[in-house]
Amino acid sequence: MEFRNLLALVEVVQQGGFSAAASVLFTSQSNVSKAVRQLEDELGVTLLDRNGHSSTLTDAGEIVFRRAQHILASSEDMMGELDELRGLRRGILRLGLPLFGSSVLFAPAFAQFRTLYPGIKITLVEHGSKRLEELLMRGEIDLAASLMPVSPEFEWQDVRNEQLVVLLQETHPFARYDAVQLLDLHDEPFIFFAEDFALNQVIMRSCARRGFKPKVAARSGQIDFILGLARAGLGLAILPKLMADQRMRSGLTYVPLNEPGLSWHIGLIWRKGGYLPHAARAWLELVQTIHTEAD
């Protein structure tokens, strides 16, 4: 059953005839008559009692006319809701963010997104990168922020590539250096983040390429505690310069880590070939704009 045939019947009844219906539908009277006849043939009933220039609904026509009105109204509602989605007046953004660094990188984007698209509901989950990738593959979230590089199963958009620094006591001998390399640190105790932080694996792999395994003095999921341990002289911590700048305190300093191929490279990822809702595309565009302007 075609919508245009239902529409033809409804307009014939509402406009009072085939000629008036044709004018409203911007077509010929014969096309309107043909559409109604096709509908009758398809349903196997007579819908209009044609008497000269006037037509009245049969009993079957009354039923079909009433139902057709509901069908067409529902169709308009559906198109209206889709238009709202396309116009970002409603919808859901299902976003996954890592436990580390999100407040610095994405809090401004959250505030702007809420202002621009107040009708969009944001569903946020926070996990380590590995867990977020699993949620993406299962379709439970649309986008996630992750440390680069990622599996070929994902497409990605660059967010920020930040230099890493070595955080240490102000009195540490390295505090006088302009920069250090990983090999300079091979005898030093490291203060790492918790096991599920992707930055740990990046640092460990880089140390392995340099031929040593770092000594782990402590691990923590709390960056402020890590800074406190470094200030107390327990060991060295490696973190992005952006975060070190925001959290410096008396007794602490940092030196740049000059290690080729080692940085804190964050991107937004999504499942390759997967559907990206309009809200997710708007988030990608907004984050790109914010970080392009920041650079």
Side-chain angles (χ1 to χ4, degrees):
M1 188 179 301
E2 296 186 13
F3 279 111
R4 64 182 182 86
N5 293 344
L6 290 174
L7 182 59
L9 173 68
V10 169
E11 290 298 340
V12 167
V13 175
Q14 291 181 338
Q15 302 302 323
F18 286 87
S19 178
S23 178
V24 170
L25 295 172
F26 300 101
T27 187
S28 65
Q29 182 174 335
S30 62
N31 283 341
V32 175
S33 180
K34 180 180 179 182
V36 174
R37 184 68 68 188
Q38 286 176 342
L39 186 59
E40 290 177 323
D41 292 343
E42 185 175 3
L43 296 174
V45 293
T46 299
L47 301 175
L48 292 173
D49 183 8
R50 297 166 178 80
N51 184 13
H53 294 292
S54 64
S55 300
T56 56
L57 287 168
T58 63
D59 290 343
E62 291 280 359
I63 295 172
V64 175
F65 171 70
R66 185 176 67 254
R67 293 291 185 178
Q69 285 181 305
H70 288 300
I71 291 171
L72 294 172
S74 295
S75 174
E76 289 181 4
D77 289 343
M78 177 185 70
M79 295 307 297
E81 289 186 26
L82 291 175
D83 286 341
E84 284 191 355
L85 280 176
R86 284 188 283 265
L88 295 170
R89 292 190 294 273
R90 61 185 297 177
I92 299 176
L93 172 62
R94 302 181 304 163
L95 183 63
L97 294 180
L99 301 168
F100 177 60
S102 296
S103 60
V104 177
L105 291 182
F106 299 110
F110 259 89
Q112 288 194 36
F113 192 89
R114 179 61 67 199
T115 300
L116 291 171
Y117 312 112
I120 301 294
K121 177 183 177 182
I122 301 177
T123 302
L124 176 65
V125 295
E126 295 179 286
H127 286 291
S129 294
K130 184 177 179 181
R131 176 62 173 158
L132 291 177
E133 290 180 7
E134 293 172 356
L135 294 176
L136 270 179
M137 292 306 298
R138 294 210 302 262
E140 295 184 22
I141 55 178
D142 303 310
L143 291 170
S146 180
L147 202 61
M148 300 287 104
V150 291
S151 162
E153 295 174 308
F154 300 106
E155 296 184 62
W156 62 280
Q157 174 180 295
D158 187 58
V159 175
R160 192 178 187 96
N161 197 349
E162 183 77 8
Q163 181 185 30
L164 292 172
V165 298
V166 180
L167 195 75
L168 37 74
Q169 276 185 317
E170 285 182 340
T171 57
H172 194 285
F174 286 151
R176 300 190 301 269
Y177 286 34
D178 293 329
V180 294
Q181 294 183 325
L182 278 179
L183 271 179
D184 298 325
L185 312 178
H186 73 282
D187 288 329
E188 298 288 333
F190 281 67
I191 304 169
F192 275 112
F193 289 95
E195 292 281 358
D196 57 346
F197 281 67
L199 182 58
N200 291 341
Q201 283 68 49
V202 173
I203 295 171
M204 295 289 283
R205 286 195 296 266
S206 295
C207 290
R209 285 195 296 269
R210 287 296 193 176
F212 74 98
K213 184 177 181 179
K215 302 172 185 178
V216 181
R219 294 181 183 272
S220 175
Q222 302 297 321
I223 187 170
D224 287 331
F225 187 56
I226 288 175
L227 268 61
L229 294 176
R231 184 171 59 174
L234 186 65
L236 311 177
I238 297 176
L239 67 160
K241 181 179 181 296
L242 178 69
M243 287 161 207
D245 285 335
Q246 290 198 337
R247 295 175 180 266
M248 288 307 297
R249 58 192 66 175
S250 175
L252 276 176
T253 189
Y254 67 75
V255 294
L257 180 61
N258 186 12
E259 189 69 27
L262 180 57
S263 64
W264 189 65
H265 189 187
I266 292 290
L268 285 166
I269 65 174
W270 60 95
R271 186 164 47 90
K272 182 172 289 186
Y275 170 71
L276 269 183
H278 294 282
R281 297 176 197 175
W283 174 263
L284 286 172
E285 183 177 348
L286 178 61
V287 170
Q288 184 177 48
T289 299
I290 289 174
H291 287 282
T292 299
E293 291 174 351
D295 293 340

